[in-house]
Amino acid sequence: MISKPPGIEDRFPDRIAAWSLITGAARDVFRIYNYREIMPPVMEFTEVFVRGLGRESDIVSKEMFTFEDRGGRSLTLRPEGTAGVVRAYIENGEYNRRATSKLFYVGPMFRAERPQKGRLRQFYQFGAELFGGSDPFYDFEIISMMDMISKRVGIDDYTLLVNSIGCASCRKEFVKALARYYTGMKDLLCKDCVVRLERNPLRLLDCKQDSCQPLKKDSPKITAYLDEECRSHYESVKKYLSDNKISFKEDPLLVRGLDYYTKTTFEFVTTKLGGQNAFAAGGRYDNLVEEFGGRTTPAVGFAAGIERMEILLENKKMAAHGLDVFIVHAGGEALNKAASTCGLLRQSGLSADMDPAAKGFKAQLKKADRDKAALALIIGEDELAAGSITVKDLKTGEQEKVKEDAIIDYLKAKLGRSHP
Ligand code: HAM
């Protein structure tokens, strides 16, 4: 038997209820906030991610699915959505059409991480990116969209962590202080952090190794290095959140593992995901469009992991989507009647199914049960002779004989559907 690669999931219908709930809520909220959908490609030239996310980021240095195409060009399956959306925004001249562009996407991302609960190699994100808005109101808007989506699907047991990592100029002094602090304890650092110290000291704060965690506690804090502009931006974001009753916790160590961030960073975290504690995250990236060759364009965005949100919903009961009607018949003449009734029901908008190769009533009722049908319509010899159909409520077991020509109205009333 050929099996799927590790960290990649098959998604059968039993997982679609949670999927639809989450993506449906996200789409509703994006509409409410005036975001329009974009569908960027799943693969890009590798350069898009190297330049966007930073060569020293864990994603670029260890986790990308990269391969050469037949022409010898390096391609990568997107590990995240932002860099590709920025590339598409510039390449398609979107900035000429609108001063402020609000875009969202839903789709698969790929990271060659070690698979575990909530950590996959192919996973799905929905996310939003706003271009052309430097006002702190937009940072608040992005965060409040994710807050609303979470609450709409019933995820409310989480903490919103926020921080500001300032702009390039205030980060310069901070990174120097960070390098000074860590140089003093070089012997205690893990192998990766020794490299980080040399190449990109900010990434020292992303290290997940247990041995490096205690070192972070007394490290310099970025908030002490923010210039006036960055500090007041951060204060405004926090004020918007407080005024709008979105509770948050400040985390001065939250620098995020991607190089493109400036000013605001945030994460939605929970204790219910084991090792993976964030189910959504994002921040501002005011320099990325310019770094990709576009004109200076402030931007802010977020992305959420759909599988991680599904895990958070696992304990909640999802209403399974069932069939309206399953038609049970006795074969022969009854099969013809069943087929024509099935066609009529479908045309009237009711979901209906049947098994033409009937193997007795019992087997057919079992199928009705498996498809979570609300009602079974039974067509046997008696019903044929009387020009009627027996309707069985599969929840209560109650049965009723209904005249053939009144069946659609009867079923719609019984199922609580409005009449055409
Ligand atoms: P990220 O924090 O790398 O940010 O990913 C966002 C979310 O994707 C995570 O919080 C998590 O829920 C989910 N996720 C990440 N990796 C995995 C994985 N291996 N398996 C399952 N879920 C995963 C970004 O991707 C940025 N592009 C967010 C952003 C948008 N920033 C600005 N705009």
Side-chain angles (χ1 to χ4, degrees), residues 205-242:
L205 299 179
D206 297 331
C207 183
K208 309 272 173 345
Q209 288 284 334
D210 287 346
S211 59
C212 290
Q213 301 314 308
L215 311 180
K216 289 184 191 173
K217 207 165 77 46
D218 296 322
S219 66
K221 305 291 177 292
I222 177 72
T223 22
Y225 292 81
L226 297 182
D227 62 21
E228 196 35 50
E229 215 277 297
C230 292
R231 182 181 312 282
S232 108
H233 185 100
Y234 186 36
E235 291 306 321
S236 300
V237 174
K238 288 188 289 179
K239 181 161 171 23
Y240 274 125
L241 291 172
S242 305

Side-chain angles (χ1 to χ4, degrees), residues 92-291:
N92 293 277
E94 175 72 5
Y95 49 86
N96 287 325
R97 289 189 278 274
R98 283 161 199 264
T100 308
S101 225
K102 298 178 168 194
L103 305 170
F104 81 86
Y105 49 88
V106 181
M109 309 289 159
F110 306 84
R111 296 185 193 176
E113 294 194 80
R114 197 161 44 79
Q116 54 172 248
K117 187 178 176 189
R119 197 207 277 157
L120 296 154
R121 292 189 168 174
Q122 175 177 332
F123 59 98
Y124 286 78
Q125 283 186 346
F126 62 80
E129 313 292 350
L130 180 147
F131 297 98
S134 59
D135 197 286
F137 173 80
Y138 292 123
D139 310 45
F140 155 71
E141 174 170 291
I142 286 283
I143 295 173
S144 71
M145 278 198 294
M146 185 57 212
D147 184 70
M148 187 188 270
I149 295 167
S150 308
K151 290 184 174 136
R152 280 197 170 203
V153 298
I155 298 174
D156 39 27
D157 189 8
Y158 58 83
T159 305
L160 165 63
L161 300 177
V162 298
N163 189 25
S164 170
I165 61 165
C167 61
S169 87
C170 34
R171 213 156 43 233
K172 214 186 250 164
E173 283 312 306
F174 169 64
V175 169
K176 271 191 210 155
L178 202 60
R180 255 195 318 274
Y181 169 82
Y182 274 99
T183 304
M185 47 187 71
K186 209 168 171 180
D187 296 348
L188 303 173
L189 296 177
C190 72
K191 223 169 56 239
D192 285 349
C193 278
V194 174
V195 178
R196 290 179 178 124
L197 177 57
E198 240 165 60
R199 298 200 187 147
N200 189 348
L202 195 63
R203 296 276 74 86
L204 286 158
L205 299 179
D206 297 331
C207 183
K208 309 272 173 345
Q209 288 284 334
D210 287 346
S211 59
C212 290
Q213 301 314 308
L215 311 180
K216 289 184 191 173
K217 207 165 77 46
D218 296 322
S219 66
K221 305 291 177 292
I222 177 72
T223 22
Y225 292 81
L226 297 182
D227 62 21
E228 196 35 50
E229 215 277 297
C230 292
R231 182 181 312 282
S232 108
H233 185 100
Y234 186 36
E235 291 306 321
S236 300
V237 174
K238 288 188 289 179
K239 181 161 171 23
Y240 274 125
L241 291 172
S242 305
D243 288 353
N244 287 279
K245 314 246 168 334
I246 297 181
S247 44
F248 62 90
K249 216 172 118 189
E250 287 183 73
D251 178 359
L253 293 176
L254 185 72
V255 295
R256 309 265 305 122
L258 305 158
D259 271 1
Y260 51 63
Y261 291 112
T262 54
K263 294 185 176 165
T264 314
T265 53
F266 62 87
E267 280 187 359
F268 285 73
V269 299
T270 138
T271 50
K272 309 238 155 60
L273 285 170
Q276 315 306 311
N277 57 7
F279 63 95
R284 179 164 279 285
Y285 49 98
D286 287 344
N287 303 328
L288 192 58
V289 176
E290 204 175 342
E291 270 162 35

Side-chain angles (χ1 to χ4, degrees), residues 346-360:
R346 287 171 172 170
Q347 270 173 28
S348 77
L350 295 174
S351 61
D353 209 352
M354 57 180 275
D355 178 359
K359 295 171 200 73

